[in-house]
Amino acid sequence: MSKHDKPKPKPSYAPALQRGLHEVSHQVEAMHRAIAGKTFGALKQVPVVAQPAALIESIHDAVSAGVHAAVRLGNRGFFSLAGEAERALASDAPPGPRESGLRAAINGVFGDHLAAHGEALATPMQLFERGRHSAAVLDHLHIPQRRVCIFLHGLACDEHCWVPDADSGEPDYGTRVHADFGYTVLYLRYNSGLPIADNANAFAELLQTLCAAQPSLQEILLIGHSMGGLIARCALWQGAGSPWLARTRMLICLGSPQLGSPLERLGMVTNRLLDSFDVTAPIGAIARRRSAGIRDLHDGIGADAGQDPPEVELRFLGATIAEDSDSALGKLVGDGLVTPDSALAERPRANIARAQLGGLGHMAMLHEARVWQQVRTWIAEGFVPTA
């Protein structure tokens, strides 16, 4: 059995859910205590009822603490049984798209905490070739045209997000890239709750491993949606002098918040407001538990955080929900999650081209005819077929 074939523990939802509910219970208890404290505090200012109020408060606090402790104990017992049942029913078959998508969503929100606690539910970084795990095929990967295109998903997604519904009639970018240009298409799966810099470093190492396993590989094309584009670009900054960087021709970013996401900035402001009041501070504590990956979207990767390698072509595509992408509304709301200024990172840089589309939302960029046409145009520029 090779190192790639070692059995891994089955991901279990029960321990992660138990830990999450345990923490929420503590914060609910804190909020309950804060609300009760204000009520009893006011009553204790009244001379006639001050002493009875103090007595009732002590009884209330004891009962409340006991109730919340019982809830946590019950949760622990329930999820212990649930975990045993989950392990008993676990199948050796790989998870389907629905379960994989659920895990990706959980990792997007709590992935850094799952990884820190060594939970099997934490998603490891992997490459897939239309569903085949890279560990089984990496050393034997067949790249007939000596070109590879790697798709990187965004926050709380996985590689399945790139595949449109069979009856939708929407373009499958991977299939098109292979059919029109002959690239071998690979899909990256990663824990989007981890810091962007950590995922970028791991991706750079994975590309190095790929090139070592495929010495005949001549060209790498990267296509990233949202956070995926940021990870790929950050990996380029970390890859100076690496063989894989010398083979990387182009990075295409679709709706990537290069300069940050206003939605996460709003989340930070909301958190500060919640922390300002005793009653809402426990809610703020829960909100602060969102993953490092989400928090990294506050500023994106910054305008001057790294040095783009001049030999790699950068292509940024932004979108707006408004049909008129140049309208004030379009610039304000962007694609619903990312504004055009952030997606296009409008700052003079070498080897960068930009495009913008109207009437298009953030997730719709994953499979849309106009997006594919722009991607195809960029790939075709300077493309030299392999003899």
Side-chain angles (χ1 to χ4, degrees), residues 116-138:
H117 287 91
E119 298 283 4
L121 192 59
T123 299
M125 183 171 285
Q126 301 163 303
L127 280 173
F128 290 82
E129 184 184 16
R130 278 303 187 194
R132 288 198 296 161
H133 188 284
S134 66
V137 302
L138 193 57

Side-chain angles (χ1 to χ4, degrees), residues 271-331:
N271 239 144
R272 293 192 188 100
L273 290 174
L274 291 172
D275 291 342
S276 300
F277 304 95
D278 293 341
V279 173
T280 56
I283 301 176
I286 295 173
R288 280 197 307 276
R289 295 290 288 178
R290 64 191 184 279
S291 70
I294 293 177
R295 295 196 302 272
D296 276 354
L297 295 179
H298 181 273
D299 297 313
I301 52 177
D304 298 304
Q307 185 65 43
D308 295 314
E311 65 272 21
V312 178
E313 303 170 40
L314 299 182
R315 302 293 181 259
F316 296 161
L317 181 63
T320 67
I321 295 175
E323 292 293 338
D324 182 2
S325 59
D326 293 323
S327 67
L329 177 62
K331 293 179 180 179

Side-chain angles (χ1 to χ4, degrees), residues 7-11 120:
K8 296 181 179 179
K10 286 289 182 181

Side-chain angles (χ1 to χ4, degrees), residues 4 12 24 33 38 60 91 93 124 132 175 199 203 245 284 296 313 316 319 340 353 378:
H4 295 310
S12 175
V24 169
R33 194 184 307 119
K38 286 187 176 297
H60 167 273
S91 169
R132 288 198 296 161
T175 299
N199 273 323
F203 183 50
L245 183 60
D296 276 354
E313 303 170 40
F316 296 161
W378 279 333

Side-chain angles (χ1 to χ4, degrees), residues 139-181:
D139 295 333
H140 308 287
L141 195 62
H142 181 50
I143 305 178
Q145 299 298 327
R146 298 191 292 278
R147 305 175 191 266
V148 65
C149 175
I150 301 177
F151 286 85
L152 297 87
H153 62 75
L155 174 69
C157 295
D158 64 8
E159 72 281 1
H160 296 100
C161 71
W162 292 103
V163 182
D165 294 336
D167 56 352
S168 68
E170 297 168 328
D172 180 333
Y173 303 158
T175 299
R176 300 286 182 91
V177 166
H178 174 72
D180 292 3
F181 299 100

